[in-house]
Amino acid sequence: MAASVIKKYLKAGKVARKALDRGIEVCDVGVSYFDVVKEVERVITERGAFPAFPVNVSVNHVGAHYTPYPGDGMKFEEGDVVKVDVGCHVDGFIADNAMTVEVGTNRYSNMISAVEDALNVAIESVGDGVKTKDVGKNIESMITSRGYKPIRNLSGHAIKRYELHSGLSVPNIGRGRDVIKKGMVLAIEPFATDGKGKVVNSTTSEILHIKGERRLKDEDLKFYRWIEERFDNLPFASYWCRSYGDDHLKRLNRVKRFGSVMSYPVLIEANKGVITQREHTVIVTSKGAKIITR
Ligand code: MN
Ligand code: MN
């Protein structure tokens, strides 16, 4: 990896971590979910980076892909187990990290530290030539030894420039055939639950991604290309399109109808168990893995 690329990853990592810390800090009883998003995005843009996807604020049995929107009225309550998942990029080089915090209570500290410990053993085991299956096995045994289940259908992922999920996945159980190679950038993200150990699709989220121009024409095509130009292939949120103009919501609905823009489903625990998550992004080196979101 070129020194200039490493430098950009390190910067993205530093900013992603600062933004995540700020997001976790503001989670409190009565605070709105969207306040977390505002703070996170402020830190990212203030430091000259760009959000790589809408901030995920996933509460209790919600595992991932929930993002609040302005005026949705969602506020934290005492006892909520909140996962904040933040990604940003510098010139397309992405850092992705996440953390769990409990609002006002301490009932889930063990499940929160279980994913922290699972992430640490996973990262210690990463290196050139290591099988993803073995990393997953380490995550699984740490989480089960603490009395919980890993979420078996959520996994970490390789990252490439402007590509958040690029092929290789890092499972949270001992499964898979991929081999990790030096120079790869990996987001590793153990999830634990006291539920079934699996997430299922729920309602559609406000996290959007492009799927291709299809049969779009005229103003719709122009709008689609505006999105592509702005966010590349990265996930985005409706309100990020505000600067397109007053008709951005109408345009979004139209391109969705053409199948050119899709929304990710919110992922919830199959038995409504509570979920915790912790995530770092690492660069695989000949000696192991360097955490860029530390
Ligand atoms: Mn993430
Ligand atoms: Mn990730």
Side-chain angles (χ1 to χ4, degrees):
M1 198 180 281
S4 59
V5 171
I6 295 177
K7 209 174 148 193
K8 286 171 185 171
Y9 270 120
L10 292 178
K11 182 178 177 191
K14 208 171 185 177
V15 176
R17 178 57 190 265
K18 284 257 179 247
L20 175 60
D21 284 344
R22 182 65 192 138
I24 288 288
E25 202 173 69
V26 296
C27 291
D28 207 348
V29 178
V31 169
S32 80
Y33 294 12
F34 197 70
D35 283 337
V36 173
V37 173
K38 276 196 286 191
E39 280 303 293
V40 166
E41 290 187 351
R42 186 180 59 76
V43 174
I44 291 173
T45 49
E46 212 171 69
R47 288 168 185 262
F50 295 89
F53 52 83
V55 182
N56 289 214
V57 180
S58 305
V59 178
N60 299 331
H61 66 283
V62 179
H65 295 172
Y66 185 84
T67 196
Y69 52 95
D72 65 4
M74 299 296 289
K75 287 188 163 99
F76 298 115
E77 288 172 21
E78 184 167 286
D80 278 345
V81 175
V82 183
K83 279 81 64 190
V84 179
D85 193 333
V86 170
C88 71
H89 72 87
V90 173
D91 196 23
F93 299 103
I94 303 166
D96 181 5
N97 64 358
M99 224 185 263
T100 305
V101 67
E102 192 176 339
V103 179
T105 49
N106 275 309
R107 287 178 297 156
Y108 289 90
S109 327
N110 187 40
M111 214 202 289
I112 290 170
S113 68
V115 283
E116 181 85 43
D117 295 346
L119 180 58
N120 289 335
V121 292
I123 291 172
E124 275 163 30
S125 66
V126 166
D128 190 27
V130 171
K131 294 189 186 93
T132 54
K133 186 184 179 176
D134 293 329
V135 179
K137 211 181 284 167
N138 288 336
I139 291 174
E140 183 173 13
S141 27
M142 177 58 78
I143 291 173
T144 50
S145 78
R146 300 286 286 272
Y148 306 105
K149 287 176 185 160
I151 302 280
R152 62 175 185 267
N153 58 344
L154 285 177
S155 56
H157 47 98
I159 290 174
K160 283 184 184 154
R161 193 177 184 194
Y162 286 112
E163 268 184 76
L164 184 57
H165 295 256
S166 76
L168 184 150
S169 40
V170 184
N172 289 321
I173 54 172
R175 189 172 68 187
R177 287 183 192 174
D178 293 316
V179 177
I180 295 166
K181 295 266 186 275
K182 182 174 100 177
M184 280 181 173
V185 179
L186 302 176
I188 306 177
E189 45 186 316
F191 289 82
T193 183
D194 54 5
K196 194 174 183 189
K198 188 185 157 188
V199 286
V200 292
N201 291 353
S202 172
T203 48
T204 56
S205 74
E206 293 290 314
I207 303 175
L208 309 171
H209 62 118
I210 56 168
K211 295 291 277 182
E213 290 180 2
R214 312 265 160 121
R215 290 170 293 114
L216 294 178
K217 280 199 287 249
D218 309 325
E219 188 65 25
D220 293 331
L221 185 58
K222 190 184 139 207
F223 175 63
Y224 182 88
R225 287 183 176 159
W226 180 88
I227 293 174
E228 210 173 18
E229 169 74 33
R230 247 179 138 75
F231 314 124
D232 264 84
N233 260 318
L234 296 170
F236 63 99
S238 314
Y239 69 90
W240 290 6
C241 301
R242 274 189 300 214
S243 60
Y244 184 81
D246 288 341
D247 63 340
H248 70 281
L249 286 180
K250 183 183 127 198
R251 289 288 155 212
L252 265 176
N253 280 329
R254 286 186 54 87
V255 296
K256 277 186 197 168
R257 233 179 296 145
F258 276 95
S260 293
V261 166
M262 304 275 274
S263 46
Y264 288 98
V266 175
L267 301 172
I268 61 167
E269 218 289 320
N271 280 354
K272 297 270 171 87
V274 167
I275 298 176
T276 59
Q277 175 202 17
R278 180 76 170 102
E279 177 179 30
H280 270 313
T281 298
V282 306
I283 298 175
V284 183
T285 66
S286 49
K287 283 175 250 135
K290 181 174 175 48
I291 303 173
I292 65 168
T293 44
R294 190 188 285 285

